[in-house]
Amino acid sequence: MDRDSVEELVALEDVQRVVLGSCLPLGPIEIGLSDALGFVLAEDVHASGDLPPFANTAMDGYALRADDTRTAPVELSVIGVLPAGTAPTQAVEPGTAVQIMTGAPIPPGADGIAIVERTEPGSSDGKIRVLDQVSPGAYVRSAGSDLRRGDLAVAAGTVIGPAHVGLLASVDATRVTVHARPRVGVLSTGDELVGGTVPLELGQIRDSNRQGLLAALQRDGFVGVDLGVRRDDEAAISAGIREGVERCDALLTSGGVSMGEFDFVKVALETLVTELGGRAHQFKVAIKPAKPLSFAVVAAPGGRLVPVFGLPGNPVSSMVSYQVVALPVLRKLAGHRSPLPRRIPAVAADDFERHPDGKLHLVRVVAAMGADGRLIVRSAGEQGSHQLAALAAANALALVPNGTGVSTGSEVQILLTGPLE
Ligand code: AMP
Ligand code: MG
């Protein structure tokens, strides 16, 4: 056991419940369809008319009366040509056909299409020879065969992808009502942090968390707001958090939440909620890495409730904490209906040994498709909370439960954090 008593630790699921329970999706906004990719639809969209709006041909060929082809091969007189985009002006009478291109409306009188590949020139000019019998309705896409007028086209809660954009365009939804995309501030804390390329003095390190978290926000479809670095000074950190709460829908800080003498984020958050209203929590999450977590919902000007995550400073911890605690909340703000990361079963291809310590271990692993079609996972490298290299090499976190570990060949649940190769 480490120095935490197991009782002080709070299970990850309980922490997720608390943080998710204290925020609501951002209010709906109306945006142009061309900007809608990745947003979550806030209202159902129904088909404004039948889709397709008129019966049309699925193939290039000849529109005809199916009945005329019962004795195929037959010859029909071609009475016109109908390209896509042109309305028919003539009806197809018995013994006649109209040459027709994919997407053109079915002319009156016709009820089937002979595809061009199954026709030949007729015995004289203006005639076509249809080789096979055409059944009624052949290659006819009837009006409303995709969606009928009034049908649900895209449901509220849908994450708008390219196909949704296409569908919304075809039902004339040129503007859509979506949940606003959260603006998320990112603030680093620590006297040791130095940005840019200034040579490092002994004791100084690069500020990697801010860059990494801003990149994660970008990947996950949020708007990152870079709030810079604050010194380990209570007033400076308080001012930074206050600025974030005023400017953003949510805030991520990193560092300053553990047991050190200069860990001021906790204090700053407690003070801020006393002043502005809201609620602060200090968690020891029963996970490794990323045990310490300060969380507050701060009552911001205008009645907004802004979630603030005081993520731990260690680079791996801040990213893991983002992934399992902050990201679900940001997804909820953005309107996602299932904001928690999905657990997927995989098979351990390494031994993941550990000792009981009351915590769920989130092991950086490389997940790949095994020969039998199941996912297999191997360690991505050194597992220290400062060792970003293994985090960078990983595309998943393996959830190794409290106990003595998971041995090769056993099932283990994983959370995907990157693409499967
Ligand atoms: P703290 O939680 O502030 O005690 O920080 C824990 C560890 O994380 C220390 O080794 C810090 O130097 C490191 N750390 C804190 N913030 C950052 C950051 N923004 N980028 C890289 N390392 C950090
Ligand atoms: Mg620090």
Side-chain angles (χ1 to χ4, degrees):
M1 294 290 215
D2 67 10
R3 69 191 154 100
D4 302 299
S5 70
V6 171
E7 294 77 61
E8 288 182 289
L9 296 171
V10 186
L12 176 61
E13 293 73 14
D14 293 333
V15 173
Q16 288 170 328
R17 197 171 308 123
V18 170
V19 297
L20 281 171
S22 53
C23 71
L24 288 171
L26 297 178
I29 54 168
E30 204 189 276
I31 58 172
L33 183 57
S34 54
D35 296 321
L37 184 70
F39 280 85
V40 180
L41 201 61
E43 288 174 0
D44 289 346
V45 175
H46 293 89
S48 50
D50 282 349
L51 190 65
F54 51 87
N56 66 92
T57 173
M59 297 290 276
D60 296 329
Y62 292 85
L64 44 69
R65 302 169 78 101
D67 203 41
D68 283 350
T69 65
R70 270 186 306 158
T71 54
V74 289
E75 289 209 357
L76 300 173
S77 302
V78 180
I79 57 166
V81 181
L82 259 184
T86 302
T89 50
Q90 294 161 282
V92 173
E93 304 293 348
T96 71
V98 167
Q99 191 182 359
I100 192 166
M101 313 306 159
T102 303
I106 305 291
D111 63 353
I113 304 295
I115 62 172
V116 70
E117 294 86 340
R118 298 301 303 155
T119 62
E120 284 174 357
S123 54
S124 61
D125 252 13
K127 293 223 166 201
I128 187 77
R129 191 173 158 80
V130 177
L131 298 177
D132 311 311
Q133 185 177 359
V134 172
S135 36
Y139 302 108
V140 174
R141 305 190 283 211
S142 56
S145 56
D146 192 357
L147 288 176
R148 293 211 167 275
R149 178 193 171 86
D151 278 353
L152 181 61
V154 186
T158 302
V159 184
I160 299 173
H164 300 112
V165 172
L167 182 55
L168 289 162
S170 51
V171 299
D172 287 347
T174 51
R175 298 189 66 74
V176 286
T177 303
V178 297
H179 292 282
R181 189 169 267 182
R183 285 169 55 81
V184 186
V186 180
L187 177 79
S188 288
T189 71
D191 285 341
E192 73 279 34
L193 303 178
V194 178
T197 53
V198 189
L200 297 177
E201 307 278 346
L202 179 63
Q204 297 184 324
I205 57 167
R206 296 284 175 225
D207 173 7
S208 60
N209 291 353
R210 191 158 44 100
Q211 303 292 332
L213 290 168
L214 285 166
L217 292 170
Q218 191 179 344
R219 175 198 64 189
D220 295 329
F222 310 116
V223 182
V225 179
D226 187 347
L227 297 172
V229 184
R230 298 289 163 136
R231 300 278 136 227
D232 284 318
D233 168 84
E234 194 185 329
I237 291 176
S238 288
I241 295 177
R242 198 179 279 266
E243 181 193 344
V245 163
E246 279 166 12
R247 288 178 56 192
C248 303
D249 301 309
L251 178 61
L252 310 174
T253 71
S254 70
V257 294
S258 40
M259 307 299 286
E261 207 159 311
F262 303 102
D263 288 334
F264 293 118
V265 170
K266 297 195 264 196
V267 189
L269 281 179
E270 301 275 0
T271 312
L272 199 60
V273 297
T274 313
E275 238 175 82
L276 297 180
R279 175 123 197 240
H281 303 259
Q282 311 301 338
F283 291 115
K284 287 182 179 165
V285 190
I287 57 175
K288 183 181 177 179
K291 181 186 67 174
L293 173 74
S294 274
F295 171 72
V297 194
V298 181
R304 296 177 306 123
L305 285 177
V306 178
V308 181
F309 295 86
L311 305 176
N314 276 306
V316 176
S317 309
S318 66
M319 283 300 226
V320 167
S321 194
Y322 169 81
Q323 198 77 36
V324 298
V325 183
L327 177 57
V329 167
L330 301 180
R331 283 169 52 83
K332 182 169 178 185
L333 294 183
H336 289 264
R337 304 292 164 99
S338 305
L340 284 171
R342 186 178 294 282
R343 295 178 178 214
I344 302 172
V347 179
D350 279 342
D351 285 334
F352 294 103
E353 287 173 1
R354 51 161 295 174
H355 298 294
D357 60 3
K359 297 178 202 158
L360 172 71
H361 288 195
L362 302 157
V363 182
R364 277 69 80 204
V365 294
V366 178
M369 197 58 80
D372 63 357
R374 295 194 295 171
L375 287 178
I376 54 168
V377 291
R378 289 183 197 284
S379 170
E382 298 292 334
Q383 297 289 326
S385 60
H386 64 295
Q387 290 171 311
L388 267 178
L391 184 69
N395 62 354
L397 296 169
L399 308 176
V400 179
N402 190 32
T404 54
V406 173
S407 47
T408 305
S410 305
E411 189 173 295
V412 63
Q413 302 280 309
I414 65 168
L415 307 177
L416 282 179
T417 55
L420 275 177
E421 293 303 326

